[in-house]
Amino acid sequence: MRRPILAANWKMHKTAAEALDFAYAFAPRVDGATHADVVVAPPFTALDRIGRVFAGHGIALAAQNVSPEAEGAFTGEVSARMLVDLGCRYAIVGHSERRTLFGETDALVARKAAALLAAGIRPIVCVGETLEQREAGRTFEVLSAQVEGSLAQVPRERAEDLVLAYEPVWAIGTGRTATPAIAQEAHAFLRTRLVARFAGSAERIRIQYGGSVKPENVYDLMAQADIDGALVGGASLDPVAFARIVRFEAEKGASR
Ligand code: PGA
């Protein structure tokens, strides 16, 4: 059994003070939720402040990015060691916004994932096809190449520390969620790629779905065999909505 992992990706939202308001509203709502790993990825600037609140509630802190470099003259960058120092247990790498808006390649994502693992942080590596690629029948080819390239530096013995996030680009921030069947098809395919890469450990790697996850659709997505969690953007900005997503079992029937 893979332990569910529900993660909030706030992107470039919330000041540290706003993040603290969220933390105080959210933490009590998920106290006692022992069925899943709960992760929040605020902007770098809020990590320290909300990490102190989350620490007492078993909520894991995540960064949204990291430098592939360990240290040095890299103005504006943040290293994995600095994230460890703030209590980060996870970091998102290879999000489609970073790939498309900031030119990140699979090779760079692979280096970032390696830097995180070396520092003891679990990478949440994002992959996903665009609408154009899906309509051209290239989804599996694109996912295959992203998995191979982005995970190139993950040693087999560290495979279980990895979280893979399937985020179809056409579903991100669009309100157009992949149906559970479409998502499961992609997740099952990704699992075959993980098996090819990591053999037996692949069964223990968690694959999150991301793209317009809401309280209303989370249960049906999580009911799929290879969907082990969710990476949530828009709906995670609201403490009530994200707490409902964390307690996805209670949302059974919400979409009907
Ligand atoms: P969304 O974003 O939930 O707002 O679609 C998901 C993501 O980009 O991680």
Side-chain angles (χ1 to χ4, degrees), residues 80-91:
R81 199 169 138 252
M82 295 170 186
L83 298 178
V84 170
D85 184 45
L86 293 178
C88 284
R89 308 229 320 265
Y90 296 85

Side-chain angles (χ1 to χ4, degrees), residues 1-63:
M1 259 304 270
R2 293 178 291 267
R3 184 172 164 79
I5 175 165
L6 291 311
N9 172 17
W10 286 358
K11 311 189 180 185
M12 198 170 74
H13 293 286
K14 298 192 192 289
T15 63
E18 289 162 352
L20 197 59
D21 287 343
F22 176 103
Y24 286 132
F26 176 69
R29 288 191 153 81
V30 296
D31 270 347
T34 53
H35 65 291
D37 288 335
V38 183
V39 181
V40 176
F44 288 130
T45 45
L47 282 169
D48 187 44
R49 216 171 304 170
I50 64 170
R52 291 166 198 270
V53 179
F54 287 166
H57 294 269
I59 300 165
L61 202 57

